[in-house]
Amino acid sequence: MGKNIGWETPHTGRNLSAIESSVVAMNTTTYVLVPGFWLGAWVWHAVADSLRERGHVVHSVDLSGMGERAHLASPETDLTTHIDDVAHLLEQENLHDVVLVGHSYGALVTTGVADRMPERVAHLVYVDSGPLPDGTAQADFDGPDARAANEHLVMTHGQGWKLPPPPWAVLAADVPEADETIIAALVEGSQPQPWLTATQPVALSGAWERLPRMGVLCSFSLEQLQQMAPHAPAFAHMIAGDWTYVELPTWHWPMISRPAELAMVLESVSH
């Protein structure tokens, strides 16, 4: 099923000190960081700065309609739009041997890009997320009740095509690392998500499946994943293939709550 690198549980594998000792004087790696719903490239700033300080090349992506490209949002903005965004970046910057990192919904984008141009990707990293099976949409992941609730929000508070950002303070209530400064940044830096990005199913040929991949597990553990996967088709690709797992316990947005540790995990991918 893959290897587990224990982040805070040394008995499961390599611990933090082991990763620290291996992350020194390594070759330059190119990272492309793709955010999830509502957020732009800014959410990766602390992680990106840490990687750059270690000599790596980092591209943090503003998807169409998000971050500094919020003005490009439209009712037609869909998953394909966002896959095109990242694919065009790889082409325009002539990027090869890329470590492609997707958080949450961003995992659908990065998997789509890797499926389209696997020859440019060296490694896939899924941050508290995973690749969904062909024909599955992000809106399907949490089940029909959650999808219906979100569709109601879209119709009543999103002009029929946008999903409003969540109540960040409520989500962060039990997260010690998420202080008022972080919550304020999330409130200010989030944009409504074009709903078509959530409802368009991912279309995959399977070309991406030959790439090595890492799962960074934050809001759920490897044990929980192993228990859920046999009963949840959405997790099918997370238990088959060339996987390495790292447990980094925190909430769903580790690039905000534990950026230094996440940067170290990402750097370990290149070794």
Side-chain angles (χ1 to χ4, degrees):
M1 176 175 168
K3 298 170 290 186
N4 178 33
I5 300 176
W7 190 259
E8 293 191 336
T9 52
H11 63 278
T12 61
R14 292 166 59 201
N15 59 16
L16 175 56
S17 61
I19 291 179
E20 285 177 330
S21 64
S22 67
V23 179
V24 290
M26 297 299 179
N27 295 330
T28 297
T29 300
T30 299
Y31 295 86
V32 174
L33 311 179
V34 182
F37 270 9
W38 306 296
L39 302 173
W42 70 268
V43 79
W44 292 105
H45 281 174
V47 173
D49 287 348
S50 183
L51 289 170
R52 291 187 184 110
E53 288 172 0
R54 294 177 168 95
H56 300 295
V57 176
V58 184
H59 297 268
S60 303
V61 180
D62 274 321
L63 299 171
S64 294
M66 315 311 297
E68 295 183 3
R69 304 179 73 211
H71 62 285
L72 297 177
S74 79
E76 288 73 44
T77 303
D78 60 10
L79 174 59
T80 298
T81 306
H82 288 168
I83 292 173
D84 289 344
D85 288 339
V86 180
H88 291 161
L89 171 69
L90 268 59
E91 292 171 341
Q92 291 167 3
E93 299 292 331
N94 195 27
L95 302 181
H96 295 270
D97 297 321
V98 169
V99 175
L100 201 50
V101 182
H103 169 251
S104 198
Y105 158 78
L108 273 75
V109 178
T110 55
T111 306
V113 173
D115 196 65
R116 184 185 298 183
M117 46 181 61
E119 72 282 356
R120 290 179 179 262
V121 180
H123 212 109
L124 287 162
V125 180
Y126 294 92
V127 179
D128 216 39
S129 58
L132 294 182
D134 179 54
T136 305
Q138 179 69 30
D140 299 327
F141 181 75
D142 290 322
D145 291 343
R147 176 166 181 158
N150 283 331
E151 287 175 340
H152 179 73
L153 284 174
V154 170
M155 297 308 297
T156 57
H157 294 88
Q159 299 178 300
W161 65 275
K162 295 179 289 187
L163 179 65
W168 292 111
V170 174
L171 294 181
D174 297 322
V175 183
E177 306 95 332
D179 59 20
E180 292 182 1
T181 301
I182 286 176
I183 295 170
L186 287 166
V187 171
E188 182 180 354
S190 56
Q191 301 287 339
Q193 183 79 21
W195 184 234
L196 202 54
T197 64
T199 58
Q200 182 188 11
V202 64
L204 301 170
S205 70
W208 71 275
E209 294 183 36
R210 64 175 178 264
L211 295 168
R213 60 208 87 138
M214 171 183 280
V216 184
L217 310 181
C218 303
S219 61
F220 57 96
S221 67
L222 179 59
E223 182 179 0
Q224 289 172 316
L225 172 62
Q226 292 170 332
Q227 291 173 348
M228 291 186 294
H231 311 289
F235 285 92
H237 284 308
M238 288 195 71
I239 57 171
D242 184 7
W243 280 98
T244 298
Y245 301 95
V246 176
E247 294 180 341
L248 183 61
T250 183
W251 71 335
H252 186 54
W253 292 270
M255 66 286 294
I256 293 176
S257 58
R258 300 187 69 178
E261 295 95 329
L262 179 57
M264 196 173 299
V265 170
L266 295 182
E267 192 176 22
S268 74
V269 173
S270 62
H271 312 325

PDB file of all heavy atoms in Angstrom, residues 107-124:
ATOM      1  N   ALA A 107      -5.945  19.129  -5.743  1.00  0.00           N
ATOM      2  CA  ALA A 107      -5.518  17.785  -6.126  1.00  0.00           C
ATOM      3  C   ALA A 107      -6.175  17.343  -7.424  1.00  0.00           C
ATOM      4  O   ALA A 107      -5.569  16.617  -8.221  1.00  0.00           O
ATOM      5  CB  ALA A 107      -5.850  16.800  -5.011  1.00  0.00           C
ATOM      6  N   LEU A 108      -7.427  17.757  -7.660  1.00  0.00           N
ATOM      7  CA  LEU A 108      -8.064  17.434  -8.932  1.00  0.00           C
ATOM      8  C   LEU A 108      -7.339  18.122 -10.079  1.00  0.00           C
ATOM      9  O   LEU A 108      -7.162  17.558 -11.157  1.00  0.00           O
ATOM     10  CB  LEU A 108      -9.538  17.855  -8.927  1.00  0.00           C
ATOM     11  CG  LEU A 108     -10.536  16.850  -8.365  1.00  0.00           C
ATOM     12  CD1 LEU A 108     -10.442  16.801  -6.847  1.00  0.00           C
ATOM     13  CD2 LEU A 108     -11.958  17.218  -8.793  1.00  0.00           C
ATOM     14  N   VAL A 109      -6.911  19.360  -9.819  1.00  0.00           N
ATOM     15  CA  VAL A 109      -6.201  20.126 -10.835  1.00  0.00           C
ATOM     16  C   VAL A 109      -4.855  19.482 -11.139  1.00  0.00           C
ATOM     17  O   VAL A 109      -4.508  19.240 -12.311  1.00  0.00           O
ATOM     18  CB  VAL A 109      -6.013  21.590 -10.372  1.00  0.00           C
ATOM     19  CG1 VAL A 109      -5.224  22.374 -11.413  1.00  0.00           C
ATOM     20  CG2 VAL A 109      -7.367  22.243 -10.111  1.00  0.00           C
ATOM     21  N   THR A 110      -4.083  19.181 -10.104  1.00  0.00           N
ATOM     22  CA  THR A 110      -2.748  18.626 -10.326  1.00  0.00           C
ATOM     23  C   THR A 110      -2.807  17.236 -10.962  1.00  0.00           C
ATOM     24  O   THR A 110      -1.987  16.913 -11.830  1.00  0.00           O
ATOM     25  CB  THR A 110      -1.954  18.560  -9.017  1.00  0.00           C
ATOM     26  OG1 THR A 110      -2.685  17.819  -8.031  1.00  0.00           O
ATOM     27  CG2 THR A 110      -1.681  19.966  -8.491  1.00  0.00           C
ATOM     28  N   THR A 111      -3.790  16.430 -10.574  1.00  0.00           N
ATOM     29  CA  THR A 111      -3.928  15.113 -11.196  1.00  0.00           C
ATOM     30  C   THR A 111      -4.279  15.262 -12.671  1.00  0.00           C
ATOM     31  O   THR A 111      -3.749  14.536 -13.521  1.00  0.00           O
ATOM     32  CB  THR A 111      -4.995  14.270 -10.478  1.00  0.00           C
ATOM     33  OG1 THR A 111      -4.708  14.205  -9.084  1.00  0.00           O
ATOM     34  CG2 THR A 111      -5.045  12.861 -11.040  1.00  0.00           C
ATOM     35  N   GLY A 112      -5.155  16.217 -12.986  1.00  0.00           N
ATOM     36  CA  GLY A 112      -5.511  16.461 -14.376  1.00  0.00           C
ATOM     37  C   GLY A 112      -4.326  16.911 -15.207  1.00  0.00           C
ATOM     38  O   GLY A 112      -4.157  16.496 -16.362  1.00  0.00           O
ATOM     39  N   VAL A 113      -3.486  17.765 -14.622  1.00  0.00           N
ATOM     40  CA  VAL A 113      -2.285  18.226 -15.320  1.00  0.00           C
ATOM     41  C   VAL A 113      -1.323  17.066 -15.540  1.00  0.00           C
ATOM     42  O   VAL A 113      -0.775  16.886 -16.638  1.00  0.00           O
ATOM     43  CB  VAL A 113      -1.597  19.361 -14.526  1.00  0.00           C
ATOM     44  CG1 VAL A 113      -0.254  19.719 -15.158  1.00  0.00           C
ATOM     45  CG2 VAL A 113      -2.496  20.583 -14.463  1.00  0.00           C
ATOM     46  N   ALA A 114      -1.093  16.268 -14.499  1.00  0.00           N
ATOM     47  CA  ALA A 114      -0.176  15.136 -14.611  1.00  0.00           C
ATOM     48  C   ALA A 114      -0.672  14.111 -15.617  1.00  0.00           C
ATOM     49  O   ALA A 114       0.125  13.462 -16.307  1.00  0.00           O
ATOM     50  CB  ALA A 114       0.018  14.485 -13.245  1.00  0.00           C
ATOM     51  N   ASP A 115      -1.968  13.956 -15.715  1.00  0.00           N
ATOM     52  CA  ASP A 115      -2.545  13.018 -16.679  1.00  0.00           C
ATOM     53  C   ASP A 115      -2.337  13.518 -18.104  1.00  0.00           C
ATOM     54  O   ASP A 115      -2.143  12.727 -19.027  1.00  0.00           O
ATOM     55  CB  ASP A 115      -4.036  12.838 -16.391  1.00  0.00           C
ATOM     56  CG  ASP A 115      -4.617  11.614 -17.069  1.00  0.00           C
ATOM     57  OD1 ASP A 115      -4.191  10.490 -16.712  1.00  0.00           O
ATOM     58  OD2 ASP A 115      -5.485  11.774 -17.949  1.00  0.00           O
ATOM     59  N   ARG A 116      -2.361  14.836 -18.279  1.00  0.00           N
ATOM     60  CA  ARG A 116      -2.207  15.448 -19.602  1.00  0.00           C
ATOM     61  C   ARG A 116      -0.753  15.479 -20.037  1.00  0.00           C
ATOM     62  O   ARG A 116      -0.444  15.293 -21.223  1.00  0.00           O
ATOM     63  CB  ARG A 116      -2.765  16.872 -19.592  1.00  0.00           C
ATOM     64  CG  ARG A 116      -2.745  17.553 -20.950  1.00  0.00           C
ATOM     65  CD  ARG A 116      -3.203  18.999 -20.867  1.00  0.00           C
ATOM     66  NE  ARG A 116      -4.579  19.138 -20.407  1.00  0.00           N
ATOM     67  CZ  ARG A 116      -5.216  20.311 -20.310  1.00  0.00           C
ATOM     68  NH1 ARG A 116      -4.578  21.431 -20.629  1.00  0.00           N
ATOM     69  NH2 ARG A 116      -6.473  20.361 -19.895  1.00  0.00           N
ATOM     70  N   MET A 117       0.167  15.738 -19.104  1.00  0.00           N
ATOM     71  CA  MET A 117       1.583  15.873 -19.457  1.00  0.00           C
ATOM     72  C   MET A 117       2.479  15.193 -18.425  1.00  0.00           C
ATOM     73  O   MET A 117       3.267  15.848 -17.733  1.00  0.00           O
ATOM     74  CB  MET A 117       1.959  17.347 -19.624  1.00  0.00           C
ATOM     75  CG  MET A 117       1.449  18.272 -18.520  1.00  0.00           C
ATOM     76  SD  MET A 117       1.922  20.031 -18.789  1.00  0.00           S
ATOM     77  CE  MET A 117       1.110  20.393 -20.343  1.00  0.00           C
ATOM     78  N   PRO A 118       2.357  13.880 -18.272  1.00  0.00           N
ATOM     79  CA  PRO A 118       3.133  13.164 -17.249  1.00  0.00           C
ATOM     80  C   PRO A 118       4.637  13.273 -17.459  1.00  0.00           C
ATOM     81  O   PRO A 118       5.409  13.138 -16.502  1.00  0.00           O
ATOM     82  CB  PRO A 118       2.651  11.722 -17.389  1.00  0.00           C
ATOM     83  CG  PRO A 118       2.114  11.622 -18.780  1.00  0.00           C
ATOM     84  CD  PRO A 118       1.518  12.961 -19.063  1.00  0.00           C
ATOM     85  N   GLU A 119       5.056  13.522 -18.685  1.00  0.00           N
ATOM     86  CA  GLU A 119       6.486  13.616 -18.977  1.00  0.00           C
ATOM     87  C   GLU A 119       7.141  14.830 -18.328  1.00  0.00           C
ATOM     88  O   GLU A 119       8.370  14.903 -18.202  1.00  0.00           O
ATOM     89  CB  GLU A 119       6.711  13.663 -20.494  1.00  0.00           C
ATOM     90  CG  GLU A 119       6.302  14.959 -21.184  1.00  0.00           C
ATOM     91  CD  GLU A 119       4.798  15.104 -21.407  1.00  0.00           C
ATOM     92  OE1 GLU A 119       4.049  14.152 -21.101  1.00  0.00           O
ATOM     93  OE2 GLU A 119       4.380  16.168 -21.900  1.00  0.00           O
ATOM     94  N   ARG A 120       6.339  15.799 -17.865  1.00  0.00           N
ATOM     95  CA  ARG A 120       6.887  16.990 -17.214  1.00  0.00           C
ATOM     96  C   ARG A 120       6.873  16.895 -15.682  1.00  0.00           C
ATOM     97  O   ARG A 120       7.372  17.792 -15.012  1.00  0.00           O
ATOM     98  CB  ARG A 120       6.102  18.234 -17.645  1.00  0.00           C
ATOM     99  CG  ARG A 120       6.325  18.645 -19.098  1.00  0.00           C
ATOM    100  CD  ARG A 120       5.490  19.862 -19.458  1.00  0.00           C
ATOM    101  NE  ARG A 120       5.722  20.281 -20.831  1.00  0.00           N
ATOM    102  CZ  ARG A 120       6.546  21.266 -21.188  1.00  0.00           C
ATOM    103  NH1 ARG A 120       7.208  21.927 -20.268  1.00  0.00           N
ATOM    104  NH2 ARG A 120       6.702  21.579 -22.465  1.00  0.00           N
ATOM    105  N   VAL A 121       6.275  15.847 -15.151  1.00  0.00           N
ATOM    106  CA  VAL A 121       6.079  15.738 -13.704  1.00  0.00           C
ATOM    107  C   VAL A 121       6.955  14.629 -13.133  1.00  0.00           C
ATOM    108  O   VAL A 121       6.954  13.503 -13.635  1.00  0.00           O
ATOM    109  CB  VAL A 121       4.593  15.468 -13.375  1.00  0.00           C
ATOM    110  CG1 VAL A 121       4.387  15.363 -11.871  1.00  0.00           C
ATOM    111  CG2 VAL A 121       3.706  16.562 -13.965  1.00  0.00           C
ATOM    112  N   ALA A 122       7.694  14.964 -12.065  1.00  0.00           N
ATOM    113  CA  ALA A 122       8.539  13.965 -11.401  1.00  0.00           C
ATOM    114  C   ALA A 122       7.825  13.295 -10.242  1.00  0.00           C
ATOM    115  O   ALA A 122       8.054  12.115  -9.953  1.00  0.00           O
ATOM    116  CB  ALA A 122       9.824  14.624 -10.903  1.00  0.00           C
ATOM    117  N   HIS A 123       6.956  14.046  -9.563  1.00  0.00           N
ATOM    118  CA  HIS A 123       6.331  13.537  -8.341  1.00  0.00           C
ATOM    119  C   HIS A 123       5.043  14.313  -8.092  1.00  0.00           C
ATOM    120  O   HIS A 123       4.973  15.512  -8.364  1.00  0.00           O
ATOM    121  CB  HIS A 123       7.270  13.729  -7.148  1.00  0.00           C
ATOM    122  CG  HIS A 123       7.152  12.673  -6.104  1.00  0.00           C
ATOM    123  ND1 HIS A 123       8.114  11.718  -5.876  1.00  0.00           N
ATOM    124  CD2 HIS A 123       6.170  12.411  -5.201  1.00  0.00           C
ATOM    125  CE1 HIS A 123       7.738  10.922  -4.885  1.00  0.00           C
ATOM    126  NE2 HIS A 123       6.563  11.325  -4.455  1.00  0.00           N
ATOM    127  N   LEU A 124       4.058  13.632  -7.574  1.00  0.00           N
ATOM    128  CA  LEU A 124       2.798  14.252  -7.163  1.00  0.00           C
ATOM    129  C   LEU A 124       2.704  14.239  -5.639  1.00  0.00           C
ATOM    130  O   LEU A 124       2.989  13.225  -5.008  1.00  0.00           O
ATOM    131  CB  LEU A 124       1.599  13.500  -7.737  1.00  0.00           C
ATOM    132  CG  LEU A 124       1.342  13.657  -9.234  1.00  0.00           C
ATOM    133  CD1 LEU A 124       0.420  12.546  -9.732  1.00  0.00           C
ATOM    134  CD2 LEU A 124       0.742  15.021  -9.536  1.00  0.00           C
TER     135      LEU A 124
END
